[in-house]
Structure formats: structure tokens, C-alpha cells
Amino acid sequence: MSMPAEVKARAAALIAVERQRFAELHPASRQMAANAGEHFPGGVPLHWMLDWETPFPLFVRQANGSTVTDIDGRHYADFCLGDTGAMFGHSPAPVARAIADQAGRGLTAMLPSDITAEVGTLLASRFGLPFWQVTATASDANRAVVRWARALTGRPKVLVFDGCYHGQVEDAFVKLEDGETRMKPSLLGQVSDIAQTSIAAPFNDLEAVERLLGAGDIALILTEPALTNTAMVLPEPGFIEGLLAAAQRHGTLVCLDETHTISAGLGGFTRARDLAPDFFVLGKPVAGGLPAAVFGFTSAVEADMRRVLETKTPGYSGIGTTLSGNMLALAAMRACLAEVMTGEAYAHMTALASRLAQGLRDAVAKRQLPWTVTQLGARAELVFSARPLRNGAEAAAAIDHTVERAIHLFLLNRDVLVTPFHNMTLVAPSTTQADIDKLVQNFDEALGLLCGEKEIAA
């Protein structure tokens, strides 16, 4: 999976040229970075906003539909879409109206709003699980599921897959190293060894999962249906179905975290494959970009929850915050579920994502580069591997940050945004064919420079 040496060398040169170009194009952002840096480290309210390959942050004035406008007045075709948070476009009209209407009638009261029953019906109908809870983020939802699974089963351990991502959930910060589970060294401020209660397994390896479940101490398997926060890894045919069957045999619960794989289609990967997990998590896009998330669960799980609550010691359970399920979030969620996340929207998104994926493949094939393009509904991703990836180890080996960043910065300087963390693109209901063609054309030009078809001009 090694990157052609000449491509990597040209990528470093291209980054240097494009960083200078970015600085020349964005004087207002440069000044704003200096002003904001007086109180925000790096000039940003969240350090992840520094992960773009730019000499200083790009500051946004407005985002609508699939277009982002920066403070220098440049307009971008946005294929990042808040790394899925704005998967259905920035400020979808029904969500914006719902937020404006609810804002005048209260934001939060730690009491259920008058649309709670309607939102519950929409969730159950869309995703197939009968019971739901609302949190502020997918991290909170996943953390709640982990706590519930341990409480319901009386077991201590959680199984995750090497290369996974589940937000800030500490239990997921483990990796496989020489066949052993190790805590990720990047985790800040961790005192206890997470590898004592979390187990990392290779994705797409049912035999390994079956062996680990045999110990009888795993409360929960927490997984995305496809690994998406590294180079994208799709499940092999029958893997997720086999995972659910194996867990049931061993008395282990399963949570499918669909925060990213909701791109697969209406109802996510779970509905597309007619799956029946014990828990289901959806964050980022469920309220149209407003901070909110949900976790759903089966009737059997709900009955066990009542049993546990009836016998637990009084006091805070460690699950939930006072802002969880607030009135504003539910109003946005209802609008998004009922009017934005529609079958028609998904049909448009998936069709254009297929056009995008094919355009990227054609540009790669023209240079005979050993790369592939993976698609999951509205999500398409360039992978630096000659064949589809099978697990997290292969995904880690395929990543080349230098080439990745050269492509991203080249596109950004030509008014196209893609996700800075990896080569992921998302198509929204508002994305146009012209947006797709713009990305593909500029991607083709970037590859031409990286492959030496033209000189990289300073």
C-alpha cells in the first residue's frame, strides 16, 4: 500500500505552494486569526478546527445549503458538511423555521416538550426500534449505552473494533498492537488503563469476535456498521449479520453507532440491511446540525432497564445532562426527521455521490494510481489502497497525510471543501451536478500535478 515516491515528493512541494496561495487569498481570515488568537488558542473555539492544512484558520461568515462563504467573500462547494453534522445541508429551511419558532417559546426547561410523543413516533418509524432517549451529542449517547449494557448484563467489558471512532467515549480509545489490546497513546489525561475493560478486535473477522465473546465477560459490542473515521472500511457480506448472531449466542448486547453511516440511506445501514441491534445511536445530523443525538433500544432492553432502575441505589446514574432532550433540540429533530431526511433527498444524494465516486475513479485510473474509491450511499471516499480495505490495520497503513493534505489544500484554494481528517466527501440534498463536476475537475488537475503532468509553479 506504499505511496509512489514521486507522488509523495511532489505533494510536499504542492503543499508549500498552496499554503502561500491560501495566505494571499485570505487576508481577512489572517487578521481574524490574530484577533481571535488573543483568547482562543490557535484562534479557534475548538482545537480540531486547526486540522485543515492551512497556515491559519479559514473563518466562515455564512453557510447555507451546500455553500460556505468565508469572511473574504469566497464561496465554496462544501463536501465536508460539518463532517456529517450538516449532512442534509447547512440550515435546512424546515429546521431553521422550527428553531426560530421554538426560540421564542423556550429553549430548555428540563421538562418534556409538547412534541415529545411525535418525535418518538418518527424515530421508531424511521429506524425500527421502539424506545428512545435524547442526548446532546453522540458521545453522550454512546457513553450512556455502554453504562446501560454493563448495568443490564452485569459484565465489565466492551468490545470495539481496531480503527473505530465513537466520539469522546473513553472505552473506545484502544487499538490492536501485535495482537494485543493497547490503550491509544494519544489519549490525554487518562489515569486508568482502558485496555483492562475494553477489547479491540479486527473488523471483518468473525472468528476473532467469536473467540473473544467466549470468555463470557463482554457486555457490549459497540461498532459502526462500517469504519468511517479512518480510511473507510466496508463490512464484508454477512459480517454485521454474523456479529449480531454471535453476540446473541453469547448473551452480549450490540450497539450500532450510525452517526456517520446514516449516509447509507433512509433509516441508515440498519434499515437498509434489515438489522435488529439491541441499541442504535445517531448523532450529528439528526437535528439538522443543531447539537443533539439519540439512542434507541428494543423492548427487551427497556424491560431490563426498568428492572435495574427499580433496584438501583438512589442517586445520579451517570447518564444524562440537564440539556439533554431540550425543547429546542426536539423541535429541530422533528423538522429534520419529517421534512428533511426524506426518501427523495436520499435518492438525490446517492445518485450524485455515485457520479462523484465514478469521476474520482476515472481520474485515478487515468494515472494508473494504486488507489480505490469507496461509496456508502451519500458518502464517497478516496482510499490510498489498490483494493478495498478489510480492517483498521489496513486502513492505518493506507493513510498518507502528505498526499491527502496536498489534495485537500489544492481543492480548498479552488473553492471546494472536503473533510480535513481523511479523503471523505458527502453529498447533500442541495448539492448540484455542477458542484460534483467542479470537485472532479479540480481533483483531476491536482492529480495531474502530483503525477508530473505539469510543473508545480511557485
Side-chain angles (χ1 to χ4, degrees):
M1 297 183 187
S2 61
M3 182 67 62
E6 64 275 14
V7 171
K8 194 156 186 170
R10 291 191 188 98
L14 186 58
I15 287 174
V17 168
E18 294 299 329
R19 283 173 65 87
Q20 179 60 36
R21 179 185 175 94
F22 178 89
E24 293 169 356
L25 291 172
H26 299 93
S29 273
R30 182 196 287 275
Q31 184 59 55
M32 183 67 73
N35 295 344
E38 294 182 11
H39 302 289
F40 292 105
V44 294
L46 176 69
H47 65 91
W48 281 4
M49 295 176 179
L50 295 171
D51 282 358
W52 305 76
E53 184 59 40
T54 57
F56 47 83
L58 178 71
F59 286 83
V60 174
R61 172 173 291 132
Q62 187 170 332
N64 293 101
S66 300
T67 302
V68 167
T69 303
D70 71 18
I71 62 173
D72 284 282
R74 299 184 69 89
H75 306 285
Y76 302 83
D78 187 10
F79 291 88
C80 172
L81 296 170
D83 192 26
T84 311
M87 192 178 92
F88 300 102
H90 297 285
S91 297
V95 174
R97 286 194 299 268
I99 291 173
D101 177 65
Q102 185 61 51
R105 297 186 296 111
L107 305 179
T108 184
M110 211 177 76
L111 289 167
S113 83
D114 57 355
I115 63 169
T116 299
E118 184 180 350
V119 173
T121 298
L122 286 167
L123 289 167
S125 174
R126 179 64 52 83
F127 302 112
L129 286 96
F131 291 98
W132 294 85
Q133 290 280 269
V134 178
T135 65
T137 68
S139 293
D140 289 342
N142 283 318
R143 191 176 290 113
V145 168
V146 169
R147 284 190 176 273
W148 273 119
R150 285 174 169 149
L152 300 182
T153 64
R155 296 175 176 183
K157 295 188 176 181
V158 174
L159 186 151
V160 296
F161 289 102
D162 185 39
C164 73
Y165 179 76
H166 299 286
Q168 290 183 306
V169 178
E170 291 86 350
D171 305 86
F173 280 84
V174 291
K175 65 175 185 174
L176 273 179
E177 192 173 274
D178 299 324
E180 298 292 330
T181 298
R182 299 277 187 266
M183 188 170 75
K184 289 184 178 180
S186 61
L187 186 59
L188 291 174
Q190 183 63 30
V191 178
S192 59
D193 183 3
I194 295 167
Q196 298 302 308
T197 52
S198 291
I199 301 171
F203 198 70
N204 279 320
D205 190 339
L206 278 177
E207 289 186 8
V209 172
E210 191 87 45
R211 284 196 305 272
L212 292 167
L213 291 177
D217 57 356
I218 296 175
L220 178 73
I221 297 174
L222 174 61
T223 186
E224 297 178 276
L227 300 184
T228 63
N229 214 61
T230 179
M232 189 157 64
V233 182
L234 298 180
E236 294 177 348
F239 174 67
I240 300 297
E241 292 82 354
L243 190 71
L244 291 165
Q248 188 172 42
R249 286 194 300 273
H250 291 278
T252 296
L253 300 171
V254 177
C255 176
L256 296 184
D257 178 357
E258 293 239 35
T259 298
H260 288 163
T261 59
I262 192 64
S263 66
L266 192 66
F269 192 99
T270 296
R271 267 300 169 87
R273 297 292 183 90
D274 195 26
L275 303 174
D278 302 287
F279 292 97
F280 174 102
V281 163
L282 177 58
K284 296 180 182 178
V286 71
L290 194 73
V294 294
F295 65 98
F297 40 95
T298 65
S299 296
V301 167
E302 192 272 340
D304 275 351
M305 286 176 167
R306 282 189 281 108
R307 172 184 56 79
V308 168
L309 290 174
E310 287 169 0
T311 58
K312 89 172 190 70
T313 302
Y316 179 46
S317 64
I319 298 171
T321 64
T322 54
L323 287 176
S324 298
N326 66 74
M327 295 182 289
L328 186 65
L330 260 70
M333 202 178 298
R334 176 177 66 172
C336 191
L337 288 166
E339 302 179 65
V340 179
M341 297 173 66
T342 66
E344 293 78 11
Y346 270 102
H348 173 88
M349 294 156 68
T350 302
L352 282 188
S354 295
R355 179 185 178 94
L356 171 58
Q358 190 57 53
L360 299 180
R361 290 187 188 106
D362 290 345
V364 167
K366 185 161 67 173
R367 281 89 183 180
Q368 298 183 321
L369 291 165
W371 301 346
T372 56
V373 177
T374 304
Q375 183 185 355
L376 184 62
R379 179 182 299 261
E381 184 163 325
L382 173 69
V383 179
F384 297 140
S385 168
R387 58 172 177 75
L389 302 168
R390 189 167 188 267
N391 54 46
E394 290 186 0
I399 293 171
D400 189 298
H401 292 299
T402 303
V403 175
E404 176 184 289
R405 288 167 179 167
I407 294 170
H408 293 185
L409 187 54
F410 184 90
L411 292 173
L412 189 151
N413 279 339
R414 284 140 190 92
D415 304 331
V416 178
L417 291 173
V418 297
T419 305
F421 308 124
H422 43 106
N423 295 312
M424 190 275 288
T425 62
L426 275 171
V427 172
S430 50
T431 303
T432 66
Q433 185 170 306
D435 293 331
I436 301 294
D437 294 344
K438 182 177 182 178
L439 192 163
V440 171
Q441 179 183 340
N442 283 291
F443 175 73
D444 184 79
E445 186 178 342
L447 291 195
L449 291 169
L450 291 174
C451 292
E453 295 168 13
K454 295 181 181 179
E455 289 300 317
I456 297 172

